[in-house]
Amino acid sequence: MIETMRQTFARVFNSGSNPEAFFSPGRVNLIGEHTDHEGGYVFPCAIDFGIYALARRNDSNTLRLYSMNFDGEYPVPFETKYSDIQEKLTGSRTWVNYPLGIASILMKHGYSLTSGLDILYNGNLPDGAGLSSSAALEVLTVRIFSELLGLGIDGVKAALFSQEAENSFVGMHCGIMDQFAVSMGKKNHAILLNCSTLDYSYAPLELGDCKIIITNSNVPHSLVGSEYNLRRTQCESALADIKRVKDISCLCDLTPNELDEYAYCVKDPVTLKRAVHAVSENARAKRAAEALKAGDLATFGRLMNASHVSLRDNYQVTIPELDLLAGLAWELPGVIGSRMTGGGFGGCTVSIVENGQAENFMNVIGREYKAKTGRKPSFYTTGSADGAGRLAL
Ligand code: GLA
């Protein structure tokens, strides 16, 4: 991978000093879905797939960007002066909005970008699969700026700047989970993150004789932007209704019993279902992390299944293809738990499967899913990885 990138780098950016190598993983969320924007807990881990970059300072004082995934038809890099970065681009080469968003947010926070940069990206994360290719691109770019321009930005700040770039430059009102997971990931661990305080702890991802299998429905999550922002608005409206009688700052301040008690305040039944999901999922995420720490994989798996049911019936962000994948998995031997992961409306499920049953899992699901939907699913097995940073080569 890196060798091919070196050749492309030399061709696209011409002569100059040798670039340095960087990597950012993607992430998979094990449980705690659609809780981050409601101040709740999430439990993701960084994965082995991600985005690589080669980068160096240049003396032209411009930002020059090229993606081997998206720019095949262009002979030259995208190029801009920092002072020309105003708002997001529409039309072609829109992937550059992520690195441009980062440069813009760094300048807004007073960092002086004292040198131009040449950056070549190349990833093996499937695009639109809900494995956080956007967050990976953002955090990777912060790391490159920080290391090559000596900005001294730590992992938590890198995640916050990346989320801000996505919210205010790209226009997706995501929570902090994805950026935090890809920035702060730790090999062989999942991260239990309180999204309201940003307190976090690492839990050893000890799966015994089981592994994580990610199944891609191969339905790109295209609606995720608009529907995601709508779900957030519905949660805000449930919060406003309850706040009239109870002093809370976010939905996940409530336990499921408390929500039950105050449910009468939420006038609209659909809005109430959104709140029921956020609050119950938050409780599941906390219990699941405890179960994993105690080595109780069976409870962890049942909570994963319950999470899918709530995302399907209360939050309504699954699609028939994701319900089919999870439903097939629940029937198979050696499946500890299975659920959709990420924003929804397409993308992947995450399953914990006994090693000895992994092949059967992929065979049966591959066959049944194809027969019922006409699409072939893709399978990825992954360990948990370290967060974004410079690669020692
Ligand atoms: C997307 C968002 C995250 C989070 C998940 C759902 O991945 O970027 O902030 O809300 O959806 O859990």
Side-chain angles (χ1 to χ4, degrees), residues 27 29 32-37 132 172 174-178 228 342-343:
R27 68 95 188 89
N29 189 21
E33 209 68 83
H34 284 286
T35 47
D36 61 349
H37 43 78
S132 290
M172 160 85 176
C174 63
I176 187 65
M177 169 171 73
D178 303 349
Y228 186 97

Side-chain angles (χ1 to χ4, degrees), residues 49-64:
F49 302 88
I51 305 178
Y52 294 82
L54 291 181
R56 71 174 177 208
R57 296 164 68 116
N58 63 37
D59 16 278
S60 67
N61 214 25
T62 58
L63 182 60
R64 303 201 291 167

Side-chain angles (χ1 to χ4, degrees), residues 313-371:
D313 298 346
N314 294 322
Y315 215 62
Q316 298 180 296
V317 293
T318 66
I319 52 169
E321 287 85 347
L322 290 172
D323 295 334
L324 177 63
L325 287 175
L328 287 169
W330 295 339
E331 298 299 316
L332 288 177
V335 174
I336 309 298
S338 185
R339 57 181 287 275
M340 64 146 265
T341 185
F345 299 102
C348 296
T349 59
V350 56
S351 309
I352 298 183
V353 184
E354 284 171 12
N355 289 327
Q357 292 291 345
E359 208 175 309
N360 183 56
F361 175 95
M362 293 189 259
N363 286 339
V364 175
I365 292 194
R367 189 180 62 230
E368 296 290 316
Y369 185 74
K370 174 94 202 313

